[in-house]
């Protein structure tokens, strides 16, 4: 630690890392100290010169003699003094909470903005931008943000906030960290000085909030400095609408999300450090990684990496093409490599998209292990995984052999289990969320006399999806079970039947139905965009889903009516898994 003088205050500055490396300056918020960054700093110091300091009146830094000297002019003078002491032309600034607000204000200030090579904000925009949002945003969005900002009014009151910091507030902050965000308390955070820091820091609100938020003459736009917004999706103080609006004011913006609460640098230090490091290295000249490309890409799924199994035909092919048409890079996986290559060629030729062909048997655990490992190593952790591959066997229960059961469950159920387990774990570790789509069927909730193995496997897929959705919600990972009815694909011709006449009848039935797989793909994209749990597709799928919930007895009765109808249902879930 060393001291830097700024006016009448002494700032406690901490440094680590090689002095010759690019400088990353971490600025803490309220009521924290520099120690809130301990975990992130430890992960960055091998590649960067990491600098932290306690802002005036916090931690070891002294408070000003006049308690009103917490305005932005004074705060940015402190920041400038620290930067001057580093003897470098520019620094990469990272701010959290009030540190972020100072960073946004610094971007447009002469004499300080030109010292910033980049800025990473953990949270939302600055006060100028919030004021503009309050004046010009949609009424309901503004109302929602004002509701989340209720505490600001409380901090502006006289006397009472000081009394709260002398009594209940330190315990309340500690409880919020531990119970609300799952962050373990440790030496240094919360700081031993938190009660005094909280009282001093009240003047951050009192000196800056009314003056900045209420001044319509302040320009909310920032110059073309690279800005990375790391948005904790469970931050109780910033609405998604406010974070979304940042693009209005920052022309060079990378926006990224982390499934975490307000103190994201404590709950997800590895993810935050990786994002900071990747961004700084890119600004310094390194190629942009997938995360940064995704943060800048256009289109509904621009820059996303999507893995689709059974992508050689049917719903899988239509889904791969739909994601590619919306800007995603797609891994087309199929047991038939030639079919996967044809899908990739068509995506490049027809859509100008980027896709990769991979052969994999989803029923083979070893192949799926290698498949997931290679995809992550070559292309990165997928943002979306569509477990679509499947097969059908159309026989009565006593006509099913053990091999029929094994093959059906290995592909339809275990293939989904492998995809969810391997890719879902990588998504959770990355910490940036994601989505898993498991393509089930109308058969998941419609019993059938001739599809016992198929129906059982699809019902299991739906229940697995419900279980995973509950488990992965806190990781920001959505899970959807898509349940199509009768769809015009080749699964009927590829299914196993007791007789050829049943096969031909099923094929003719699907052709007459005339429901193309492209419409199912549209439902899949919508399910990801809206994070829908269960998605019945087409009329019979929706009717079957409603009946299964309203009158399960009626569904059991329908299962007994017509073997012909059941023969047609085997084609209802259009997977393109090629039987060997």
């Amino acid at each position: 630690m060393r001291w830097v003088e700024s006016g009448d205050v002494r700032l406690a500055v901490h440094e680590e890392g090689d002095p010759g490396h690019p400088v990353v300056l971490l600025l803490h918020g309220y009521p924290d100290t520099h120690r809130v960054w301990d975990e992130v700093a430890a992960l960055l110091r091998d590649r960067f010169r990491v600098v932290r300091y306690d802002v005036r009146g916090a931690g070891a830094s002294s408070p000003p003699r006049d308690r009103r000297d917490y305005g932005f002019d004074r705060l940015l003078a402190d920041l400038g003094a620290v930067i001057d002491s580093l003897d470098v032309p520019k620094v990469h600034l990272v701010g959290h909470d009030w540190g972020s607000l100072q960073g946004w204000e610094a971007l447009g200030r002469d004499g300080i903005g030109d010292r910033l090579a980049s800025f990473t904000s953990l949270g939302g925009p600055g006060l100028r931008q919030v004021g503009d949002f309050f004046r010009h945003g949609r009424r309901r969005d503004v109302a929602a943000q004002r509701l989340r900002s209720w505490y600001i009014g409380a901090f502006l009151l006289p006397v009472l906030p000081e009394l709260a910091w002398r009594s209940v507030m330190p315990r309340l902050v500690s409880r919020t960290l531990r119970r609300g965000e799952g962050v373990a308390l440790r030496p240094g955070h919360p700081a031993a000085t938190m009660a005094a820091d909280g009282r001093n820091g009240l003047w951050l609100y009192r000196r800056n909030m009314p003056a900045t938020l209420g001044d319509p003459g302040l320009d909310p736009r920032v110059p073309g400095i690279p800005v990375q917004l790391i948005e904790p999706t469970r931050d109780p103080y910033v609405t998604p609408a406010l974070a979304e609006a940042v693009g209005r004011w920052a022309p060079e913006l990378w926006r990224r999300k982390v499934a975490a609460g307000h103190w994201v640098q404590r709950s997800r230090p590895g993810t935050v450090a990786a994002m900071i490091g990747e961004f700084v290295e890119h600004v310094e000249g390194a190629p942009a990684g997938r995360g940064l490309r995704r943060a800048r890409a256009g289109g509904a799924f621009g820059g996303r990496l999507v893995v689709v199994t059974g992508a050689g035909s049917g719903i899988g092919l239509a889904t791969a093409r739909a994601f590619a048409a919306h800007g995603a890079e797609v891994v087309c996986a199929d047991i038939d490599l030639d079919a996967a290559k044809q899908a990739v060629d068509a995506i490049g030729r027809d859509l100008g998209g980027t896709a990769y062909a991979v052969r994999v048997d989803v029923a083979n655990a070893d192949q799926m292990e290698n498949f997931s490992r290679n995809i992550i190593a070559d292309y990165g952790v997928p943002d979306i995984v569509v477990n679509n591959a499947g097969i059908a066997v159309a026989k009565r229960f006593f006509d099913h052999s053990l091999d029929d059961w094994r093959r059906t469950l290995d592909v339809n159920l275990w293939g989904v289990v492998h995809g969810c387990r391997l890719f879902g774990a990588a998504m959770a570790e990355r910490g940036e969320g994601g989505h898993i789509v498991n393509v089930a069927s109308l058969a998941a909730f419609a019993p059938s006399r001739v599809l016992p193995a198929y129906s059982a496997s699809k019902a299991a897929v739906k229940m697995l999806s419900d279980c995973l959705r509950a488990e992965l919600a806190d990781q920001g990972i959505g899970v959807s079970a898509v349940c199509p009815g009768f769809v015009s694909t080749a699964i009927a011709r590829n299914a196993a039947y007791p007789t050829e006449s049943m096969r031909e009848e099923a094929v003719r039935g699907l052709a007459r139905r005339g429901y193309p797989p492209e419409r199912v793909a549209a439902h899949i994209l919508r399910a990801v965009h809206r994070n829908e749990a269960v998605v019945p597709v087409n009329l019979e799928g929706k009717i079957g889903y409603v009946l299964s919930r309203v009158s399960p007895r009626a569904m059991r009765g329908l299962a007994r009516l017509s073997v012909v109808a059941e023969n047609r249902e085997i084609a209802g879930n259009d997977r393109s898994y090629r039987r060997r």
Side-chain angles (χ1 to χ4, degrees):
M1 188 189 78
R2 59 184 175 83
W3 299 99
V4 170
E5 304 290 334
S6 178
D8 65 344
V9 302
R10 299 181 74 209
L11 303 172
V13 181
H14 303 257
E15 287 191 48
E16 47 199 319
D18 190 329
H21 289 167
V23 175
V24 174
L25 177 53
L26 305 173
L27 198 53
H28 70 81
Y30 172 84
D32 297 321
T33 68
H34 78 282
R35 295 293 304 277
V36 73
W37 291 108
D38 281 359
E39 292 84 357
V40 171
L43 294 169
L44 292 175
R45 64 191 177 200
D46 290 339
R47 291 182 290 163
F48 307 103
R49 180 184 178 187
V50 180
V51 180
R52 298 176 280 166
Y53 70 94
D54 294 333
V55 301
R56 54 176 53 207
S61 294
S62 63
R65 285 190 292 269
D66 187 338
R67 63 183 182 179
R68 295 172 297 179
D69 284 343
Y70 281 88
F72 276 132
D73 288 343
R74 300 289 187 177
L75 295 171
L76 297 186
D78 294 347
L79 176 60
V82 172
I83 295 176
D84 288 341
S85 74
L86 301 175
D87 194 28
V88 294
K90 291 190 176 185
V91 303
H92 298 272
L93 183 64
V94 181
H96 172 249
D97 190 75
W98 264 97
S100 173
L101 297 182
Q102 292 183 55
W104 281 101
E105 189 67 21
L107 289 176
R109 293 287 188 105
D110 293 336
I112 188 73
D114 55 2
R115 306 291 303 278
L116 305 181
S118 72
F119 173 52
T120 295
S121 167
L122 273 67
L127 292 187
R128 294 181 183 222
Q129 292 77 32
V130 174
D132 185 74
F133 177 80
F134 283 167
R135 286 186 290 273
H136 303 294
R138 290 192 306 177
R139 288 185 178 180
R140 64 180 181 182
D141 294 337
V142 171
Q145 182 57 54
R146 288 187 181 276
L147 186 63
R148 291 204 188 189
S149 303
W150 63 268
Y151 61 94
I152 295 176
F155 286 166
L156 297 179
L157 295 173
V159 181
L160 291 178
E162 280 85 353
L163 293 177
W165 276 110
R166 293 182 184 276
S167 55
V168 300
M169 283 297 291
R171 291 194 300 273
L172 181 60
V173 171
S174 298
R175 184 180 303 169
T176 300
L177 278 166
R178 187 176 62 253
R179 298 182 181 178
E181 306 216 4
V183 173
L185 308 185
R186 57 154 169 78
H189 191 250
T193 57
M194 181 170 59
D197 298 343
R199 294 193 301 272
N200 291 334
L202 290 170
W203 289 94
L204 293 168
Y205 292 87
R206 292 166 178 171
R207 296 298 293 169
N208 297 295
M209 287 289 182
T212 308
L213 290 177
D215 187 348
L218 295 176
D219 189 352
R221 295 170 298 177
V222 300
I225 297 173
V227 175
Q228 176 178 225
L229 177 67
I230 298 178
E231 178 189 347
T233 57
R234 296 195 299 273
D235 192 329
Y237 310 115
V238 180
T239 61
L242 179 58
E244 183 74 35
V246 171
R248 301 179 195 170
W249 310 296
E252 293 292 320
L253 178 68
W254 285 256
R255 185 180 174 208
R256 310 178 77 170
K257 296 185 179 183
V258 182
H262 180 70
W263 279 278
V264 59
Q265 71 270 59
R266 287 292 324 277
S267 60
R268 291 279 189 178
T271 300
V272 170
M275 288 181 172
I276 295 171
E278 183 182 21
F279 185 59
V280 170
E281 289 175 342
H282 176 57
V283 173
E284 291 287 327
R290 176 173 299 281
L292 287 178
R293 295 199 305 271
R294 180 176 64 241
R296 287 279 281 178
F301 296 98
R304 268 58 174 179
L305 179 64
V306 181
V307 173
V308 182
T309 64
S313 64
I315 289 178
L317 174 59
T319 300
R321 289 177 60 89
F323 275 116
H326 286 81
E329 294 183 25
V330 184
V331 175
C332 297
D334 201 284
I335 196 171
D336 185 339
L337 182 59
D338 289 338
K341 289 180 177 179
Q342 291 173 13
V344 168
D345 291 342
I347 287 173
R349 181 183 64 251
D350 301 339
L351 304 173
T354 302
Y356 316 98
V358 181
R359 183 196 180 279
V360 68
D361 180 356
V362 299
N364 187 304
D366 291 336
Q367 286 191 29
M368 284 296 288
E369 289 270 4
N370 292 332
F371 170 66
S372 63
R373 187 183 305 113
N374 292 337
I375 292 301
I376 293 170
D378 293 342
Y379 310 117
V381 176
D383 302 289
I384 301 164
V385 173
V386 182
N387 293 304
N388 165 74
I391 61 172
V393 176
K395 301 177 184 177
R396 301 292 184 96
F397 175 78
F398 292 111
D399 294 330
H400 272 62
S401 66
L402 288 178
D403 187 60
D404 290 334
W405 276 96
R406 290 191 184 100
R407 187 169 67 254
T408 303
L409 293 178
D410 281 349
V411 175
N412 293 2
L413 177 57
W414 276 106
V416 174
V417 170
H418 295 323
C420 292
R421 182 176 66 88
L422 298 168
F423 289 117
M427 289 179 184
E429 182 179 0
R430 180 183 61 176
E432 297 182 47
H435 205 97
I436 297 172
V437 176
N438 297 325
V439 182
S441 170
L442 165 63
F445 35 81
S448 166
R449 291 192 295 181
V450 294
L451 293 166
Y454 180 77
S455 299
S457 67
K458 295 306 173 184
V461 167
K462 178 185 174 299
M463 179 55 70
L464 170 64
S465 302
D466 288 341
C467 294
L468 275 178
R469 185 177 178 87
E471 180 173 345
L472 298 179
D474 289 343
Q475 307 291 334
I477 301 171
V479 181
S480 300
V482 175
C483 304
F486 308 136
V487 183
S488 301
T489 68
I491 193 173
R493 185 167 298 281
N494 294 330
Y497 298 86
T499 65
E500 283 300 312
S501 62
M502 290 181 64
R503 182 191 310 277
E504 295 305 317
E505 184 177 357
V507 170
R508 288 194 300 271
L510 277 193
R512 289 193 298 269
R513 177 63 178 88
Y515 195 92
E518 288 75 15
R519 295 182 67 178
V520 183
H523 280 278
I524 289 175
L525 267 66
R526 189 179 302 116
V528 174
H529 181 68
R530 298 178 179 176
N531 191 20
E532 297 174 330
V534 180
V535 184
V537 177
N538 65 25
L539 181 62
E540 59 271 21
K542 293 175 182 177
I543 292 174
Y545 182 60
V546 171
L547 273 180
S548 70
R549 295 172 65 85
V550 174
S551 179
R553 182 177 181 179
M555 293 298 292
R556 291 191 292 269
L558 288 172
R560 302 174 57 187
L561 290 181
S562 172
V563 174
V564 174
E566 290 163 338
N567 290 340
R568 292 173 57 191
E569 177 173 328
I570 63 167
N573 187 305
D574 54 306
R575 246 65 80 232
S576 60
Y577 186 94
R578 304 303 181 90
R579 296 177 62 238
R580 290 162 289 176

